[in-house]
């Protein structure tokens, strides 16, 4: 039993559908709306009494039957007495708050229903309906004195990843005979997030990426960090890049030329297509893999983007051109090669469609940057886990499979340096190689294939590492082997 303000509250326990970690939009409390919808619901017995009143009075007065008239009058009196219990103004404020922020599937979450009396009179104890997901539970609100508040702590058991809606709280007024009830919605709603199970990844994500200098490419530039060669000075060249020692020896101006580099950028992606998983258990295990790697990357401060489904594409050619220019000339070439490879492997994934992901859009190479559908938020581990709580596998024919997803992600993040791809056991090695072909040469692609109870294994094909895990705990060991391979 906990208390809020000067008064004590009561604790209760509710059975809820599959859910975990608790969070409410905007900070954890749902404020009551200004207008509270009210309704009167008449029960079946209430309609019987009303019918008796109408028929009894009509028959007694019209036919002169005293018995019918007595029945009609009695029914009217009963209905009038019952309606008295429904009268009166319902005042006060009810808020829903969530207490636990880091609850995972299988643990219990604490939800607080706070009752405030903003009137000058004492409010008596009342019954209320509290919506938890698809279920409605009955709770008892305690009596509250003027200016006081009570907190009712409700324990919500959880078992599966997901998001459930809490509230609203509806105050009920019933008559003793059960003829009718009056309902008044007194609160808003809050969201209860189910975080997927994760394991601490012992391998630092920074160890999986290239040095801070980046990855040299075949593209040459006049200003970068990786020196390539000297060339003759041309009008318009930056004089700061003139190599004076070589100029003095040859008698003509020579300037430095550099190889264009890509900065370290970790990509974690997961397919949402039901065709890529043999069971729902495989999909949930893949979500846990994505969450474990993504949380470690965010904690390490690594530049990371997490994709669940296909990211939105630029709506115009101008937007696409800006994206390619942002990645340099090499990015344009890679995007062209990716498009050609995708046409060859279209049968593996189909054509991706934008907006296929489930969850809030945000995130990007830099944590917390604005993003698109399919790209999850990565500013904090909690944001990432909240977004992963929303995703669900899709059996729609238009949902992109692994190859099409890789093509879309490769175009959206052409500066990727390491890519982790989580998928189910129905994805073949050929499909994984097709997916890896959508990333530039030199990009390390690690495919994590989940198959419950399977033996952990690792196979390397060029720059593609295909790992297979049967349990979430296998992820730590298999990643260590993948780094050493």
């Amino acid at each position: 039993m906990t208390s809020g303000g000067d008064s004590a509250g009561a604790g209760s326990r509710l059975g809820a559908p599959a859910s975990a970690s608790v969070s409410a939009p905007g900070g954890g409390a749902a404020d009551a709306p200004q207008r509270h919808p009210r309704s009167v619901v008449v029960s079946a017995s209430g309609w019987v009494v009303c019918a008796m009143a109408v028929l009894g009075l009509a028959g007694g007065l019209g036919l002169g039957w005293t018995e019918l008239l007595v029945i009609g009058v009695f029914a009217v009196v009963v209905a009038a007495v019952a309606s008295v219990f429904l009268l009166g103004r319902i005042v006060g404020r009810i808020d829903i708050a969530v207490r636990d922020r880091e609850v995972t599937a299988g643990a219990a979450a604490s939800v607080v229903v706070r009752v405030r009396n903003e009137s000058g009179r004492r409010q008596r104890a009342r019954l209320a309906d509290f919506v938890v997901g698809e279920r409605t539970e009955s709770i008892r609100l305690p009596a509250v004195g003027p200016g006081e508040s009570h907190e009712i702590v409700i324990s919500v058991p959880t078992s599966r990843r997901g998001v459930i809606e809490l509230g609203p709280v509806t105050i009920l007024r019933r008559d003793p005979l059960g003829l009718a009830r009056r309902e008044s919605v007194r609160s808003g709603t809050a969201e209860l997030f189910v975080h997927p199970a994760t394991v601490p990844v012992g391998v630092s994500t920074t160890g999986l990426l290239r040095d801070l200098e980046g990855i040299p490419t075949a593209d040459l530039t006049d200003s970068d960090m990786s020196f390539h060669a000297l060339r003759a000075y041309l009008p318009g060249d930056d004089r700061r890049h003139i190599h004076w020692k070589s100029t003095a020896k040859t008698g003509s101006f020579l300037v430095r030329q550099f190889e264009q580099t890509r900065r370290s950028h970790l990509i974690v992606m997961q397919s949402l297509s039901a065709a890529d998983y043999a069971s729902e258990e495989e999909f949930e295990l893949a979500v846990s893999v994505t969450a474990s790697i993504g949380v470690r990357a965010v904690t390490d401060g690594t530049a990371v983007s997490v994709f669940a489904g296909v990211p939105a594409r630029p709506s115009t050619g101008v937007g696409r051109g800006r994206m390619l220019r942002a990645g340099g000339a090499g990015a344009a070439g890679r995007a062209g090669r990716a498009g050609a490879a995708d046409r060859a492997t279209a049968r593996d994934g189909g054509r991706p469609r934008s907006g296929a992901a489930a969850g809030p859009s945000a995130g990007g190479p830099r944590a917390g940057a604005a993003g698109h559908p399919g790209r999850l938020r990565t500013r904090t581990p909690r944001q990432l886990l909240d977004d992963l709580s929303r995703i669900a596998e899709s059996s729609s024919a238009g949902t992109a499979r692994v190859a099409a997803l890789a093509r879309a992600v490769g175009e959206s993040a052409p500066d990727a340096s390491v890519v982790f791809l989580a998928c189910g056991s129905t994805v073949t090695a050929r499909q994984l190689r097709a997916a890896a072909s959508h990333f530039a040469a030199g990009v390390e692609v690690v495919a994590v294939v989940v198959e419950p109870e399977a033996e952990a294994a690792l196979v390397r094909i060029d720059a593609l590492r295909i790992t297979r895990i049967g349990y979430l705990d296998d992820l730590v060991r298999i990643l260590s082997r993948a780094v050493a391979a």
Side-chain angles (χ1 to χ4, degrees):
M1 182 177 295
T2 62
S3 63
D6 300 327
S7 306
S12 60
R13 182 176 180 85
L14 299 181
S19 61
S21 172
V22 184
S23 173
D31 294 335
Q34 277 189 332
R35 291 189 176 183
H36 306 292
R38 295 179 176 85
S39 61
V40 176
V41 179
V42 180
S43 65
S45 58
W47 288 115
V48 170
V49 171
C50 292
M52 291 174 57
V54 173
L55 295 178
L57 292 176
L61 295 176
L63 302 177
W65 289 6
T66 305
E67 293 84 354
L68 290 179
L69 183 61
V70 171
I71 292 175
V73 172
F74 178 77
V76 170
V77 172
V78 171
V81 172
S83 63
V84 171
F85 289 89
L86 306 182
L87 300 178
R89 181 184 177 189
I90 300 178
V91 296
R93 178 188 180 95
I94 299 178
D95 297 328
I96 302 173
V98 288
R99 177 168 293 179
D100 300 319
R101 300 296 182 183
E102 301 296 336
V103 179
T104 57
S110 296
V111 179
V112 175
V113 176
R114 184 178 297 108
V115 184
R116 300 178 183 176
N117 184 0
E118 298 175 346
S119 68
R121 295 184 301 173
R122 181 177 180 82
Q123 295 180 357
R124 59 184 178 85
R126 296 171 176 155
L127 292 178
D129 284 343
F130 180 41
V131 178
V132 181
E134 297 180 354
R135 298 180 57 178
T136 300
E137 300 290 343
S138 180
I139 61 176
R140 184 173 182 83
L141 303 179
V144 184
E148 295 180 350
S149 66
H150 283 274
E151 288 186 353
I152 304 173
V153 180
I154 302 173
S155 179
V156 180
T158 63
S159 59
R160 293 177 59 86
R161 178 189 62 86
V163 180
I164 61 174
E165 185 173 302
L166 302 173
V169 176
T170 303
I171 294 180
L172 304 178
R173 279 191 173 183
R174 294 189 177 97
D175 65 276
L177 300 178
L179 302 182
R181 70 179 185 272
R182 180 184 175 189
E183 300 178 348
S184 177
V185 178
R186 306 301 298 178
S187 77
T189 60
E191 286 183 327
L192 181 65
F193 286 91
V194 181
H195 286 177
T198 60
V199 292
V201 178
V203 180
S204 174
T205 54
T206 55
L208 301 175
L209 303 174
R210 300 296 190 267
D211 294 335
L212 294 177
E213 291 182 351
I215 307 171
T217 68
D219 305 316
L220 301 181
T221 180
D222 292 333
S223 178
D224 214 304
M225 301 176 67
S226 181
F227 175 75
H228 175 66
L230 296 174
R231 65 169 176 81
Y233 175 84
L234 296 176
D237 286 341
D238 193 339
R239 295 184 180 181
R240 293 176 298 177
H241 297 312
I242 295 177
H243 195 269
W244 293 106
K245 291 185 178 180
S246 299
T247 298
K249 292 180 180 179
T250 60
S252 59
F253 288 106
L254 297 176
V255 296
R256 299 180 183 89
Q257 197 172 30
F258 302 88
E259 288 181 324
Q260 191 174 16
T261 61
R262 283 200 313 274
R263 301 302 176 191
S264 298
H265 183 192
L266 177 66
I267 299 294
V268 184
M269 51 185 282
Q270 178 183 352
S271 170
L272 298 182
S273 174
D276 290 334
Y277 303 92
S279 64
E280 185 179 351
E281 185 180 1
E282 281 193 4
F283 181 81
E284 293 300 324
L285 182 55
V287 174
S288 293
V289 168
T290 302
S292 299
I293 299 174
V295 167
R296 180 57 195 260
V298 174
T299 303
D300 289 342
T302 303
V304 58
S305 294
V306 180
F307 296 89
V310 176
R313 292 185 176 183
S315 58
T316 64
V318 175
R320 179 178 175 86
R322 289 177 179 173
M323 179 188 70
L324 295 178
R325 286 195 298 272
R334 288 191 298 275
R337 291 194 297 271
D342 184 72
R343 287 190 292 272
T345 59
R347 62 180 179 274
D348 293 330
R351 183 172 181 173
R353 299 180 181 179
S354 62
S361 60
R366 294 300 173 188
H372 306 284
R375 175 174 284 182
L376 309 185
R377 296 175 296 172
T378 55
R379 182 180 296 277
T380 64
R382 180 183 164 193
Q383 283 186 343
L384 175 59
L385 292 173
D386 283 352
D387 287 356
L388 284 172
S389 298
R390 295 184 182 274
I391 68 172
E393 63 178 332
S394 173
S395 57
S396 172
T399 304
R401 296 194 62 184
V402 167
L405 172 62
R407 186 193 72 167
V409 172
E411 294 177 352
S412 178
D415 59 340
S417 53
V418 175
V419 176
F420 283 96
L421 193 161
C423 61
S425 60
T426 61
V427 180
T428 65
R430 181 178 181 182
Q431 290 173 319
L432 292 175
R433 293 186 66 181
S437 69
H438 294 296
F439 298 97
V443 175
E444 298 290 340
V445 180
V446 181
V448 182
V449 180
V450 298
E451 183 178 0
E453 300 183 4
E455 185 177 353
L458 170 65
V459 177
R460 176 159 186 168
I461 306 175
D462 298 328
L464 171 63
R465 297 174 174 88
I466 302 178
T467 66
R468 186 177 299 272
I469 64 172
Y471 303 91
L472 186 57
D473 292 337
D474 293 338
L475 180 64
V476 179
R477 185 172 68 259
I478 207 68
L479 286 183
S480 300
R481 290 174 56 187
V483 172

